[in-house]
Structures are given as structure tokens and as C-alpha cells.
Amino acid sequence: MKVYIATKLENWQAHNEVRDWLLRAGHRISYDWTTHGPVFGKGLATVREVAVLEFEGVKAADIVIVLWPGGRGTQTELGMAIALQKPVYFVSTVEAHHQSTKETCAFYHHPSVRLFVSLADLYTRLELFNAN
């Protein structure tokens, strides 16, 4: 299975933890943006190139994993995944994201999004997915 992992740049360690778990389980990453890190300050040509690469990564993925906290790009990747009808696994320890509160976003509760409260819950779901 090909997976795209969306999160904010400062959350790269969680990204890499999930990436490494997925690779050990035999999955592939559709695009790993941590290989280049932040691109602001590297010119608009580089920013545009990365925008295309990240879009293509979401498009090529079988599922998209969203790790909270996220940033503007994370929200965009979530929206692209929903628009492309990809299953989304959204991991957030923020209880308000799992309820009808002003801190949540309607799109966190879109029918194609599955919410998880921890990485352990995500890994359990992925293991069950692998078993089927």
C-alpha cells in the first residue's frame, strides 16, 4: 500500500516514526517531504516544485495519514485527499477534534476520514488492515 503522511514541518519526528513503521510493515511512501525539509527562502520555483510533488504524493497514495498538529499545508493535503476520494486516517490527541466543538473542523468528520486518538490506535488499525 502507498501512503502519504501529512503533518507540519515541526512534527517531522512523528512523521518519521510513522514512516519507519509503515516501511517495516512493507508499505511504501508516495512522497517523503522530510527529505528536503522546509523550502521557504529557497525561491518560488522550489516552492512550486514541492507543491506539485506533494500534490502528486497525495494523488498517488492509497491512504493519507494526517498527524496533528498540522499546519496550512496539512489542511490543504487533507482537503486534497478528501477531494480525490482517498481514505484519510487522522491522528489527534486533542479531544476537541473528536467532538462537535469550535476547535474541530467539519472536514475532520467527513465520511472518508477515520479519527484516531493515538499512534498506537493507528498502528492497530493498520495491522488489522494488513491481516485482511
Side-chain angles (χ1 to χ4, degrees):
M1 173 170 68
K2 281 194 275 185
V3 181
Y4 184 88
I5 306 167
T7 191
K8 66 195 273 180
L9 290 166
E10 296 82 4
N11 203 19
W12 64 268
Q13 290 175 313
H15 171 285
N16 289 355
E17 177 186 332
V18 172
R19 178 202 61 204
D20 294 349
W21 188 94
L22 290 164
L23 293 173
R24 284 192 303 273
H27 302 293
R28 294 177 290 153
I29 305 302
S30 60
Y31 180 70
D32 186 349
W33 50 265
T34 66
T35 59
H36 58 69
V39 294
F40 53 85
K42 295 185 179 179
L44 287 178
T46 301
V47 172
R48 285 184 194 102
E49 178 184 346
V50 167
V52 170
L53 291 169
E54 291 181 356
F55 170 75
E56 292 298 327
V58 171
K59 190 174 160 185
D62 297 310
I63 68 165
V64 173
I65 296 174
V66 175
L67 304 176
W68 199 259
R72 292 182 316 268
T74 309
Q75 299 286 32
T76 303
E77 292 157 339
L78 169 65
M80 288 188 296
I82 291 170
L84 293 166
Q85 301 180 346
K86 305 288 180 175
V88 177
Y89 293 0
F90 188 96
V91 182
S92 175
T93 60
V94 178
E95 184 63 32
H97 289 165
H98 300 269
Q99 300 171 7
S100 178
T101 66
K102 66 180 182 175
E103 288 83 20
T104 196
C105 172
F107 292 104
Y108 301 167
H109 303 277
H110 184 275
S112 64
V113 176
R114 290 187 175 56
L115 287 163
F116 298 89
V117 296
S118 69
L119 290 179
D121 289 343
L122 172 69
Y123 297 150
T124 298
R125 171 67 180 118
L126 292 170
E127 287 172 346
L128 291 172
F129 184 84
N130 283 345
N132 292 328

